[in-house]
Every structure is written in C-alpha cells, then in structure tokens.
Amino acid sequence: MTRKNFIALFTIALLIRCALFVFISSQPIRFYSNSDTYNYEQIALNLLKYGVFSGDAQPPLTPNLYRTPVYPLFLAGIYAVTHNSAHVVILLHILIGGFASAAMLWLTDSLKLSPRIGWIAGLVVALDPLVTLTTYQMITETLFLGLLIPAIAMFALYFKSRNSYWLAGSAILLALVSLTRPISQYLPIALIPLFFIVATETTRSRVVKNLLLFLVINLVITSSWAYRNYTEAGIWTLSAISNKNLIYYRARAILAEGKNISEDEAYQELSQYIQTETQSRNLTAAQQIELMDARAMEVFRQYPVATLKVHLKGLAIVTVNPGINLFCIMLDDQSLQLDDEDNVVGCTSQGGGFIAETRDKLGQMNWFGQLVSLFEIVLMAGLYLGSAIGAWKLFREKQWYLLFLLMMLIAYFLLLSAGGESVSRFRIPIIPFLAILAGIGFSKSYLLEEEAPVVQGSEGPSAQKNS
C-alpha cells in the first residue's frame, strides 16, 4: 500500500460524501432518522450536564444498561466543543467514512492481496449507497466500521509479520469495536481457529501465548464496562440490548407468527407480562432482564417452526433488502414524512410482501433515489456473485487462512444479525469482507506479485501463487 493510493481513495470517498452532505444537511431531521439517535444523544447530554451515563430525559437519572459507551462519549466530546452541533458530528462521520474506504487498501495489503483487490474493496465501501447514506445518521454504524476495518488489518498484520504489537493493537481496537456495538463482543473468540490454522508443531507454544495475550487484553477492556453494569445494577453484561431485542423484537415476531396476531398485539402481550411481573414481584433491573430472557425462551420453545421462519426472514432482510426506506429519507424531500411521535418515516407502502412493498416505495421516490436504489441492487448482486466465485477460488487453491477469515467474519455478523429486529443496515459490517472476496473472484491474479510462494503449513498463512 502506498501513501498516494491511500490519499487518492480517501479523497474519492470524501468528495462523494461531501457532495451528498450539501443536499442532505438542508433537512437536519435526517440526522435523527433512526430512533436510536435520540437515546445516544440524551446519554451524551447527561454526561455533559450531570456526568451520568443515563438515557433519561429528567432526573432521577437511572444508569443505562442498554448502550455501550464509545458512541455516546464520541457525541459528548463533539458536543462539548461545538455547542451540541449535529452538523459537526456528521462531518466527522464523513471523515471516518473516507478513512474506512481508504483503510481497505491497508487491510488487503495486510492479507498479502494485490493493490487491485484493495482498490476494488475500497471503492465498494466508498460507493455503496447503504454505507454512504448511513453516514448521515447519528448512529453507531460509521464509527463501528471505522474501527472494525483497522482492527482486522492489525490482526492480519500480526500473521504477516509475527509482531505481537500488532496483535495487541488489534485486541484493543476490537474491544473498542465491541464497546461501540456489542454485537462484536464474541468476535475475538470466533477468530481463535486462525491461530491454529497457521501454526506448526514448532510454533504452537508461541501461538498459544500470543492467543492468550490477544484474549486477555480484549477481555480486560470489555470487562471493565461489564463491571460497571454489575456495580450499577447487579448484572454482569456488556449490554442488555440483546436481552431487550430478544423479547421485544425476536419473541414478538415469533409470537405474532405463531398465534397469527399482529406484531403490535404481540408486543402488548409481552410488555404487559413483563410490567405485571416486575411490579407484582418488585423485581430489580437485573431480575427484570432475567425475566425477559426467560419469557423469550418460552416463546421460542413454544413455537419452534415460527422461530426458524422469523430468523430466516431476518437473514433475508439483512442480505436482500437494499435499504430503500433509507434512500427515500435521505434523497427525496417529498418522501420525508414524520409519524405521530415525530419519528422520520420516509416512503410508505400498502404491504403485500417484499416485492410489492419495494415497488410501492420506489414509485414514491424521485429519479435520483430510484437510480441509487437500482445501483445498490446491482452492486449487491455483483458482490454476492463475486464472493461466491472468490470463496470457491480460495477453496480450490487451499488458501485456508484467507478463506476462513473472510467467511467467518461474514457468517458471524450475518448470523448474529438475523432475527425479528433485522434491518438492512445490519449488512454494513459484512460489506468490506464481501468486497474483498468479490475482488478475489473477479481478479485473474489476486496475490501480491512480489510475494514469494510459501509452503502450506509454514509459520505464516499460505501465500501460494495463484496458478
């Protein structure tokens, strides 16, 4: 990777995002078009005013157990020096988005892939409408991706150079990734097999030591926040958001499917149960979270077929849904609507299934929004086709290190994102790795030309030449 290429790709991504910012910022309500934004912002404001990590709008400020600290602290830091300017937050998002695109060159170089693959992957991250337009929402995705890509690059650099400092840096960044979005808290564990894929009998003891170093550093940092939650509410958890999603999204959707009722009715039934049990038994916050888990598991056991159906539907939403509602909100003033609670709605539809809803929403959009939606659909198709070819190529050539790393990252985020709460933006963490696989699939030669062949089973990852 050369500095010139890095700057060039960063500039391309930056120009695209800045050009869109001029239009999108004319309606700042777009920055708040995800309802989670208000909670993150309230926590940031409470940190500045009271020094308390709470999402309550008024005292008494109860400790928030559902959000991890990195993004609220990010907002608080910006608000402290800009007098609560959401515009500055989005401008910093734009810089982070540009960096994430250019960092794909660093990641692919760390994986011993050719600069061509880096450019392909970097341009995908720079141009993908879902990634780009989420930049203008004050939610965690942009910062999350800006930390995840260099974290994996450092992880790959350890296997390339055998320098433990890269591994320590990766462990620290992955901890920050988890403290941005807790979905990634088990990612270091999922990465464990890579240490043994590249190990030999002579290096196994050193590999185990480095693995322990990696896990301990990551665990110490993430556990510090879990300890905070334990001291505040008596529950050892990085975030209780997964518990809340389990019952009010996944169990709700399964209950609605199993009992053939609306999701609103299912939500009322579940929330009434939790509220009644909490009040009658005088449950603590920790006990209430345990109750939510128990009730959700009861629903899963009661409706196993509906459970499978809801999770498969969630997987389809993450992988197939282009994100048209986001495009409506960001690119079409006529489609910018507010509901009764002043939440941004965007395009509407009469229902009738995914295809019918997509057709209804596309029909409400202006020509630019329709063009962007078509580009996203074509880009997705290209990514999936190229990824399948790339995975087959790596399998055929026994590039186990590359194949496992990329496929594991994709599978990890896909499987943990599939459920009743699934939305298109949950696809964002897998896009960089799909892009790398697609670049491999569409390239005749994907390894660094100057890289000498390495015999499979040596201390480092296999780097055999593509025949």
Side-chain angles (χ1 to χ4, degrees):
M1 180 190 72
T2 65
R3 181 180 300 179
K4 181 179 179 180
N5 283 340
F6 186 93
I7 293 174
L9 192 47
F10 175 79
T11 303
I12 291 171
L14 200 64
L15 289 174
I16 293 169
R17 284 159 171 76
C18 286
L20 288 169
F21 177 78
V22 174
F23 171 75
I24 291 171
S25 62
S26 65
Q27 297 278 2
I29 189 63
R30 290 184 170 107
F31 303 158
Y32 294 83
S33 54
N34 187 289
S35 57
D36 288 349
T37 298
Y38 295 102
N39 192 228
Y40 287 123
E41 185 177 61
Q42 188 60 57
I43 294 172
L45 294 173
N46 287 335
L47 283 169
L48 291 174
K49 188 172 182 180
Y50 302 106
V52 177
F53 194 91
S54 172
D56 295 342
Q58 297 177 348
L61 304 179
T62 58
N64 187 288
L65 305 177
Y66 297 96
R67 303 299 181 189
T68 41
V70 168
Y71 194 71
L73 287 170
F74 173 78
L75 287 182
I78 297 169
Y79 278 10
V81 297
T82 64
H83 303 291
N84 303 350
S85 174
H87 283 78
V88 175
V89 173
I90 300 303
L91 286 172
L92 283 176
H93 275 200
I94 289 172
L95 288 173
I96 294 169
F99 167 78
S101 302
M104 293 303 296
L105 291 168
W106 182 25
L107 174 55
T108 53
D109 183 75
S110 303
L111 294 171
K112 302 182 181 180
L113 296 171
S114 71
R116 183 187 304 107
I117 308 299
W119 268 99
I120 292 173
L123 285 173
V124 168
V125 176
L127 296 172
D128 187 289
L130 182 65
V131 176
T132 300
L133 293 174
T134 304
T135 304
Y136 308 100
Q137 294 179 305
M138 291 203 300
I139 51 177
T140 58
E141 267 69 15
T142 298
L143 182 59
F144 178 83
L145 201 63
L147 291 169
L148 177 64
I149 292 172
I152 300 302
M154 287 185 178
F155 184 79
L157 274 172
Y158 160 70
F159 290 103
K160 182 180 180 181
S161 68
R162 291 299 172 172
N163 190 325
S164 298
Y165 288 108
W166 288 121
L167 193 62
S170 176
I172 292 170
L173 276 185
L174 283 173
L176 294 178
V177 169
S178 298
L179 292 174
T180 304
R181 281 192 66 202
I183 188 175
S184 58
Q185 63 180 308
Y186 303 114
L187 185 55
I189 297 173
L191 291 169
I192 288 176
L194 281 164
F195 288 84
F196 298 98
I197 287 175
V198 301
T200 64
E201 291 185 7
T202 57
T203 63
R204 190 154 294 169
S205 61
R206 184 152 62 105
V207 165
V208 171
K209 290 179 182 178
N210 287 330
L211 171 59
L212 291 175
L213 171 71
F214 175 70
L215 294 176
V216 167
I217 292 175
N218 182 272
L219 187 62
V220 167
I221 297 173
T222 55
S223 293
S224 63
W225 188 251
Y227 177 74
R228 174 264 181 189
N229 290 335
Y230 179 77
T231 58
E232 293 286 0
I235 180 169
W236 186 276
T237 181
L238 195 64
S239 167
I241 195 67
S242 60
N243 310 87
K244 188 175 182 179
N245 288 343
L246 198 67
I247 186 167
Y248 291 126
Y249 286 95
R250 300 194 181 198
R252 179 187 69 178
I254 292 165
L255 190 64
E257 177 74 24
K259 298 181 72 171
N260 195 25
I261 59 178
S262 71
E263 291 204 4
D264 287 340
E265 291 173 317
Y267 176 81
Q268 289 299 324
E269 179 179 327
L270 292 170
S271 61
Q272 184 62 49
Y273 172 82
I274 297 298
Q275 183 179 358
T276 301
E277 290 292 308
T278 299
Q279 292 176 351
S280 63
R281 295 161 55 184
N282 195 27
L283 300 180
T284 64
Q287 291 170 331
Q288 185 185 57
I289 290 170
E290 292 174 356
L291 177 66
M292 289 192 292
D293 283 350
R295 180 64 183 121
M297 296 308 297
E298 286 178 10
V299 173
F300 297 163
R301 288 192 295 267
Q302 188 175 1
Y303 302 104
V305 175
T307 299
L308 178 61
K309 185 175 180 180
V310 165
H311 281 80
L312 289 176
K313 181 180 178 181
L315 187 64
I317 289 172
V318 175
T319 55
V320 177
N321 189 344
I324 289 175
N325 201 53
L326 174 66
F327 306 159
C328 286
I329 291 170
M330 294 296 174
L331 302 176
D332 192 348
D333 286 336
Q334 298 299 319
S335 299
L336 197 61
Q337 304 176 46
L338 299 177
D339 62 15
D340 295 337
E341 298 178 354
D342 291 333
N343 293 317
V344 181
V345 177
C347 297
T348 58
S349 72
Q350 301 300 318
F354 173 73
I355 295 177
E357 290 178 9
T358 302
R359 184 179 61 246
D360 289 346
K361 291 179 179 181
L362 282 173
Q364 298 174 42
M365 298 173 68
N366 59 24
W367 67 269
F368 184 58
Q370 292 172 343
L371 187 63
V372 169
S373 300
L374 178 62
F375 177 69
E376 175 69 20
I377 293 169
V378 172
L379 182 63
M380 287 167 55
L383 282 178
Y384 293 139
L385 175 62
S387 295
I389 297 171
W392 169 248
K393 189 180 291 187
L394 293 177
F395 176 79
R396 185 186 63 194
E397 297 173 8
K398 299 181 180 180
Q399 296 281 357
W400 306 127
Y401 165 74
L402 270 175
L403 180 63
F404 181 87
L405 175 62
L406 296 173
M407 293 300 294
M408 184 279 302
L409 288 166
I410 293 168
Y412 177 90
F413 287 112
L414 274 182
L415 293 176
L416 268 65
S417 299
E421 74 276 26
S422 297
V423 290
S424 57
R425 66 183 171 89
F426 289 175
R427 185 170 65 251
I428 290 176
I430 74 169
I431 288 174
F433 311 111
L434 285 173
I436 293 174
L437 267 179
I440 293 172
F442 290 134
S443 296
K444 184 177 180 181
S445 178
Y446 58 86
L447 294 174
L448 285 173
E449 294 180 358
E450 65 272 16
E451 192 69 44
V454 177
V455 177
Q456 179 68 24
S458 64
E459 183 178 348
S462 173
Q464 294 173 338
K465 276 283 185 183
N466 181 22
S467 56

